[in-house]
Amino acid sequence: MPRRRIVVLLVLALVVAGFMLFPLLSRFLTEWWWFKEVGYQVVFTRQLVSRTLLFLGGGTLTFLVLYLNLRLAQRGVVPNPILLQVGESVPAVNVPAVLRKLALPVALGFGLLGALAASSAWDTVLQAANATPFGINDPVFGRDIGWYVFTLPAISTALGVLSGLATLSLLILVPLYFLRGDIISKPPTIRFERSAGLHLAAIVAVMLVLTALRLWMVDTPGLLYSSTGPLVGASYTDIHARLPAIRVTAVLAVLAAGMVVFAGLRGRLVPHGIWAVAGYIVAALLGRVLFPAAIQKFVVAPTELTRETPYLTNHIAATRQAWGLDSVDTRELDGEANLTLADIRANAPTIENVRLWDREPLLQTFGQLQEIRTYYDFVSVDDDRYMIDGKYRQVLLSPRELNVASLPTRTFINEHLTFTHGMGLTLSPVNQVTIEGLPVLFVRDLPPASEVSLKVTRPQIYFGELANEFVFVGTKQREFDHPAGEANVYAPYEGTGGVPVGNLLRRLVLATSFRSTKILLSGDITSGSRVLYYRNITARAAKALPFLTFDRDPYMVVADDGALQWILDAYTTTSRYPYSSRLADGTSYMRNSVKVVLDAYNGKMRAFVSEPNDPLVRTWEKIFPGVFQPITAMPADLRLHIRYPDDLYRTQATLYTTYHMEAPEDFYHREDQWQIPAMAKTDGSVPFMRHIVMRLPDEPKAEFIYMVPFTPRGKDNLAAWMVARNDGEAYGSLRVYRLSRQSLVFGPQQITNRINQDTEVSRQVSLWDQAGSRVIRGDLLVIPIEQSLLYVQPLYLQAEGGRIPELKRVVVAFQNQVVMRETLDAALAQLFGGSSGGPSAQGRGDSLSLRARGAGEATSGVSAELRALLTEARQRYQAALEAQRAGEWARYGEEIKRLGELLERLARQQ
């Protein structure tokens, strides 16, 4: 009977363990299947092996150290054990005997914790083992920067682990010896049994030696991360006070360790050993705290600039190197040169690509006009450039993704088998508008229809910014593809993505991992079905490449074959670059070293190295061979669409406002510090940073650039502007155009104020507000033209209760002049006169280029201004008819009034 009972208990234990472990095993298997599907097995296996080895090593070390110390402390017989009486009828408990039995489980428990902690350091260990030198030495100790980035963290971790084990051992041994009676407290003295005293002395000595090693090997080079004084990095006080103090106290720690051991051997741990430790603590306090504070206050502070100049030089140079600011190309501009019609004509590609549609209003408009069904969403709008019908055009595009939260009926079949993907995108030129004030759509509707040379042949989006639910393809349920009028179109998945469902056991694993019994019980899922998971593109890429940091703004590209591809910018970062300025999260070095291309249909990922000279990415290439490909292997049509990453550019621009000052004196006084002007929005202020197509001064042709203006700190006039170049061989280069400090060039805020104070603008805005409509001021665009600047701001009108913003006016400002017209064409014509000779825009709707259509073509013999007025009159007439048909009489009256004003102006032109 007892044997049968034991067998039953063992079986029950195994069943319980199986129930507890099977979910973990299921998760492990689904992870492995996913890595195998995407082709990144080496990332999974290398992490697994390194984590396992560290787990075993860290756990074994922790267990051995604690267990051996506990066994050593509990050797021999306790002559007068402490007896604990828990009840009159229960025998007294021998406390030392109980503690002896607890030695093994306590050591095992802490060993498990140590194993978990050690396994988390896998990346630190692998980087140290595969370190790549930077080729740059620090200015104080002469070590390669790679030593600080790769080796120093590993040394710090190892010493931290050993110090932690020694401290933990001491904290356990002291109460243990006390309970055994080996520590006897008889105030005012404390007496240690000889073997116990020697054991504790050895532990304290080890702690002191480890402290000395940490001071010498970690804290000394760690001075290069100090924040003492007006910089990040070793300052005058750090080098002349704190560094000598660290070295002296390291030697004192070793001497104190020797004295503690000697006191233990002599049986005089108290008081000699205590005095040795106390003496070290006092010396450390005086040398590493009070002495540097005195030097800082009485020596450095009175002549701080003089003392800190060489260290400021180190800090500035390191920050510029770490953040890629040392390669910024700086050029000078006058900024006050007059623009002429010839300048406008010479920069026709810039004018033709002036971005009149902002992302926020356009996103609202796309949502109202092109979502088609409630379960489709446009998440974001991205800037890009394409060759469309032979012309270089800047466009705004937004993928149409499926939002399962908006499905009319949320069931397992709907969410995971039927509605599996988004559909196509909407693409609009940045500078064209219909008569109704809506954007011209080059690609629109379902399935996506294109009116230009750009075609979409594979519009299904299984992997996107919204996709986060697992879906099954190849099931017995039909997959919804897109709506077609009153009917729906269904189409099966024909891609290669997904993990095969396979046999019943695999289904059980998937059901357990995804916590859904329907996966196991559904008759629609077959062995030939496949499951797609990790479908959110950022989460998918981060899962495959966990050692990289990803940009906030992935963007979609239409490839030459019509397929939809996502491009994600990935960064290699570290917080260990000495002397470099740090972000709020501690990052002191960043490179956009990797471009990840992810197929929206198949989910296939490819990682291309865009910064082959970055030591961090070269280290990761060694750790995970075969994961990365050179950027030259990226398809040529996709390389045409890579762009400078947003997060990196914002950080570099922010740092450059201060670190363009290379002279220590200027940096210290902040005499020429800049700031990035901000635009006021309903949800807060955002910086003036925009993608535009323009021809840079001294460059032969227009290109796609990312631009940010700078103003002096506390002032509104323009000081400089920076561009990140995106096209061809110039990709990745930064250029700054500095304006003369002896002349005043209006900045964005000053131009905004002038626009607000303009009589015509304020009158029109007030009129719209009185009619109950909402005026949305678009982004103020800073458009460099030759040596001068042109400002353009679109104005949108949103009807009361409406959700579709319409572009109604374009404001153009140049120097002291502010002009508001219905088109950019008309505003530029009034400012500069004549025609730029720019070609007419392609596609539907009214062109906002400099050459008017319709009425202008019929009156080619008259002036450009007259042609612009005729175009506006025709637009007002058409808009009035539209308002009449819609029964919007307030709008009809407004349009008729505007038409009358235009006719009066036309009469004056006769």
Side-chain angles (χ1 to χ4, degrees):
M1 187 68 179
R3 183 177 298 176
R4 292 181 59 187
R5 186 173 298 173
I6 292 173
V7 171
V8 170
L9 290 175
L10 287 175
V11 171
L12 288 175
L14 290 174
V15 171
V16 171
F19 273 109
M20 294 178 62
L21 295 177
F22 189 72
L24 296 176
L25 178 61
S26 298
R27 191 65 180 171
F28 174 83
L29 289 174
T30 53
E31 296 282 296
W32 166 247
W33 293 339
W34 183 83
F35 273 97
K36 186 177 180 181
E37 180 229 333
V38 297
Y40 283 64
Q41 301 98 311
V42 65
V43 177
F44 183 87
T45 56
R46 191 62 57 90
Q47 278 192 83
L48 179 62
V49 170
S50 58
R51 283 179 180 273
T52 301
L53 292 176
L54 287 172
F55 181 90
L56 296 175
T60 301
L61 177 63
T62 303
F63 170 77
L64 289 176
V65 169
L66 294 180
Y67 185 70
L68 291 177
N69 274 294
L70 288 171
R71 294 298 296 173
L72 182 62
Q74 297 180 92
R75 68 196 183 283
V77 178
V78 180
N80 298 304
I82 298 176
L83 300 177
L84 181 62
Q85 189 71 45
V86 296
E88 294 182 1
S89 61
V90 179
V93 177
N94 188 323
V95 173
V98 172
L99 293 176
R100 185 177 292 108
K101 294 178 181 179
L102 290 177
L104 181 60
V106 167
L108 287 174
F110 280 108
L112 178 61
L113 295 177
L116 294 173
S119 66
S120 65
W122 68 272
D123 52 346
T124 300
V125 174
L126 289 180
Q127 286 187 85
N130 297 273
T132 302
F134 275 64
I136 303 173
N137 293 336
D138 80 86
V140 176
F141 302 110
R143 291 191 179 101
D144 186 88
I145 300 299
W147 186 86
Y148 294 90
V149 173
F150 302 118
T151 307
L152 182 58
I155 295 174
S156 178
T157 300
L159 290 175
V161 168
L162 295 176
S163 297
L165 288 176
T167 303
L168 181 61
S169 299
L170 184 66
L171 292 176
I172 293 176
L173 290 176
V174 169
L176 177 60
Y177 275 125
F178 182 82
L179 292 174
R180 283 174 52 86
D182 294 329
I183 300 177
I184 303 172
S185 177
K186 292 183 178 181
T189 63
I190 298 177
R191 187 174 63 82
F192 290 82
E193 189 271 330
R194 184 177 181 84
S195 61
L198 185 58
H199 188 186
L200 293 176
I203 298 295
V204 172
V206 168
M207 292 174 62
L208 288 169
V209 170
L210 290 172
T211 299
L213 290 174
R214 186 169 188 84
L215 287 169
W216 200 273
M217 301 181 67
V218 177
D219 289 3
T220 296
L223 290 175
L224 301 191
Y225 307 107
S226 170
S227 56
T228 304
L231 66 144
V232 174
S235 63
Y236 180 93
T237 299
D238 293 318
I239 298 301
H240 293 86
R242 192 163 282 116
L243 177 59
I246 287 175
R247 289 174 172 171
V248 169
T249 52
V251 173
L252 290 178
V254 175
L255 294 177
M259 293 177 65
V260 168
V261 172
F262 182 75
L265 291 172
R266 297 288 302 273
R268 296 181 178 180
L269 189 59
V270 177
H272 298 86
I274 301 297
W275 281 116
V277 174
Y280 164 75
I281 293 175
V282 171
L285 179 65
L286 291 174
R288 304 211 310 264
V289 179
L290 298 181
F291 177 57
I295 293 295
Q296 180 69 27
K297 183 175 182 179
F298 298 110
V299 177
V300 177
T303 56
E304 187 173 51
L305 177 58
T306 302
R307 302 285 186 183
E308 301 289 13
T309 292
Y311 309 105
L312 283 171
T313 301
N314 296 338
H315 170 64
I316 295 169
T319 299
R320 289 172 62 88
Q321 290 168 352
W323 292 101
L325 302 179
D326 55 336
S327 59
V328 174
D329 178 21
T330 305
R331 304 195 179 185
E332 302 293 330
L333 283 182
D334 180 12
E336 285 196 323
N338 286 323
L339 286 180
T340 64
L341 179 60
D343 295 326
I344 300 299
R345 286 175 173 171
N347 290 272
T350 300
I351 300 299
E352 291 170 1
N353 286 284
V354 170
R355 199 180 88 174
L356 298 181
W357 284 105
D358 290 351
R359 292 186 178 188
E360 292 80 5
L362 191 63
L363 188 62
Q364 295 182 46
T365 303
F366 281 173
Q368 293 300 306
L369 299 180
Q370 285 291 302
E371 280 184 359
I372 312 296
R373 292 290 188 271
T374 58
Y375 42 78
Y376 287 126
D377 268 352
F378 291 104
V379 180
S380 62
V381 176
D382 292 311
D383 291 88
D384 208 342
R385 68 285 195 199
Y386 288 85
M387 289 298 296
I388 297 178
D389 296 331
K391 294 181 63 178
Y392 190 67
R393 302 293 299 271
Q394 183 177 353
V395 299
L396 292 164
L397 61 88
S398 184
R400 185 185 292 103
E401 298 198 48
L402 178 72
N403 186 353
V404 294
S406 299
L407 288 174
T409 305
R410 298 191 63 181
T411 64
F412 178 81
I413 291 177
N414 278 350
E415 292 186 31
H416 302 289
L417 277 67
T418 301
F419 293 89
T420 57
H421 57 274
M423 189 66 176
L425 54 82
T426 298
L427 184 145
S428 173
V430 296
N431 66 330
Q432 285 185 248
V433 63
T434 66
I435 292 176
E436 294 81 11
L438 300 176
V440 171
L441 303 179
F442 282 171
V443 180
R444 57 193 176 93
D445 298 339
L446 289 173
S450 174
E451 298 189 1
V452 293
S453 57
L454 188 67
K455 305 297 181 184
V456 178
T457 59
R458 177 62 78 181
Q460 292 84 1
I461 302 175
Y462 282 84
F463 300 87
E465 294 182 86
L466 271 184
N468 55 9
E469 294 285 342
F470 63 89
V471 297
F472 288 87
V473 296
T475 68
K476 294 180 181 180
Q477 281 288 332
R478 294 188 301 169
E479 281 188 60
F480 174 80
D481 196 56
H482 64 273
E486 297 299 324
N488 291 327
V489 176
Y490 295 85
Y493 179 69
E494 299 175 349
T496 59
V499 171
V501 172
N503 56 36
L504 182 61
L505 181 59
R506 288 174 65 99
R507 288 182 68 167
L508 177 61
V509 169
L510 292 170
T512 304
S513 181
F514 295 127
R515 300 179 180 180
S516 175
T517 57
K518 294 182 176 67
I519 297 175
L520 185 62
L521 302 176
S522 174
D524 293 320
I525 301 173
T526 69
S527 60
S529 302
R530 279 179 288 168
V531 56
L532 281 61
Y533 48 104
Y534 292 127
R535 296 194 302 128
N536 177 277
I537 55 173
T538 302
R540 187 177 182 85
K543 187 70 178 178
L545 304 167
F547 44 86
L548 299 178
T549 304
F550 286 87
D551 192 88
R552 75 180 80 180
D553 188 22
Y555 52 98
M556 177 171 279
V557 172
V558 182
D560 283 354
D561 61 358
L564 301 181
Q565 304 281 346
W566 292 98
I567 296 181
L568 298 86
D569 288 294
Y571 305 107
T572 48
T573 62
T574 182
S575 60
R576 306 296 300 180
Y577 199 103
Y579 264 115
S580 174
S581 181
R582 296 188 289 263
L583 303 183
D585 63 357
T587 302
S588 58
Y589 172 94
M590 176 184 284
R591 288 292 185 273
N592 175 216
S593 299
V594 179
K595 303 281 187 182
V596 177
V597 176
L598 198 154
D599 191 295
Y601 188 68
N602 292 315
K604 179 182 178 182
M605 284 182 292
R606 291 168 291 172
F608 301 97
V609 176
S610 53
E611 285 275 357
N613 295 324
D614 172 41
L616 282 169
V617 79
R618 290 169 61 189
T619 296
W620 289 119
E621 284 183 295
K622 296 176 188 176
I623 296 172
F624 300 113
V627 166
F628 299 103
Q629 303 176 50
I631 193 67
T632 52
M634 181 184 288
D637 58 327
L638 297 181
R639 288 188 67 187
L640 293 175
H641 294 279
I642 61 174
R643 69 187 191 194
Y644 205 89
D646 185 65
D647 288 346
L648 177 60
Y649 186 60
R650 288 173 182 270
T651 302
Q652 288 178 313
T654 301
L655 288 169
Y656 197 77
T657 59
T658 301
Y659 289 92
H660 70 276
M661 298 177 287
E662 297 185 64
E665 296 84 359
D666 295 340
F667 182 88
Y668 180 82
H669 294 298
R670 300 294 199 269
E671 187 269 336
D672 190 26
Q673 188 169 8
W674 299 339
Q675 64 186 12
I676 300 174
M679 296 177 290
K681 294 283 187 178
T682 55
D683 56 349
S685 298
V686 296
F688 279 88
M689 304 181 76
R690 291 294 176 265
H691 288 93
I692 57 176
V693 170
M694 63 166 289
R695 184 177 69 82
L696 294 173
D698 303 323
E699 295 296 333
K701 62 179 182 179
E703 56 187 283
F704 188 61
I705 59 100
Y706 198 2
M707 180 195 173
V708 57
F710 297 119
T711 60
R713 184 181 60 175
K715 297 182 179 179
D716 294 328
N717 59 290
L718 202 65
W721 46 279
M722 172 189 278
V723 296
R725 305 176 70 183
N726 294 284
D727 290 350
E729 296 298 324
Y731 170 79
S733 61
L734 299 176
R735 182 179 294 179
V736 170
Y737 292 91
R738 299 178 62 114
L739 303 173
S740 173
R741 298 174 64 181
Q742 280 68 47
S743 59
L744 176 65
V745 180
F746 290 137
Q749 187 58 53
Q750 292 170 318
I751 293 296
T752 298
N753 294 337
R754 296 184 68 86
I755 291 174
N756 293 337
Q757 295 166 4
D758 183 79
T759 304
E760 183 179 1
V761 174
S762 60
R763 181 185 65 82
Q764 184 62 65
V765 171
S766 298
L767 180 62
W768 281 331
D769 287 338
Q770 291 173 6
S773 299
R774 176 183 171 226
V775 178
I776 302 174
R777 295 178 180 269
D779 295 346
L780 182 66
L781 304 174
V782 186
I783 312 295
I785 305 288
E786 300 297 341
Q787 295 283 317
S788 193
L789 294 170
L790 194 68
Y791 289 90
V792 177
Q793 184 177 45
L795 298 180
Y796 310 95
L797 190 64
Q798 192 173 42
E800 184 177 6
R803 298 180 62 185
I804 303 180
E806 299 176 1
L807 178 61
K808 289 300 182 183
R809 297 289 187 274
V810 178
V811 180
V812 179
F814 175 65
Q815 294 182 350
N816 293 318
Q817 305 174 71
V818 176
V819 174
M820 182 179 71
R821 290 293 177 266
E822 295 189 2
T823 64
L824 178 62
D825 178 9
L828 290 173
Q830 181 166 341
L831 274 176
F832 302 106
S835 171
S836 70
S840 297
Q842 301 294 319
R844 301 183 301 112
D846 176 43
S847 167
L848 290 178
S849 63
L850 284 180
R851 174 172 293 178
R853 299 175 63 231
E857 295 170 354
T859 57
S860 57
V862 297
S863 69
E865 185 175 0
L866 183 56
R867 289 200 301 273
L869 291 174
L870 289 170
T871 300
E872 286 192 70
R874 177 175 176 271
Q875 291 174 340
R876 297 280 60 79
Y877 175 69
Q878 294 292 338
L881 291 179
E882 291 288 339
Q884 183 185 40
R885 286 193 291 268
E888 299 177 2
W889 299 110
R891 179 184 166 199
Y892 173 80
E894 180 190 335
E895 298 295 349
I896 290 297
K897 180 180 178 181
R898 291 291 297 158
L899 178 60
E901 294 175 354
L902 288 169
L903 291 175
E904 290 180 6
R905 291 170 60 189
L906 281 168
R908 291 195 296 269
Q909 293 286 330
Q910 301 298 322

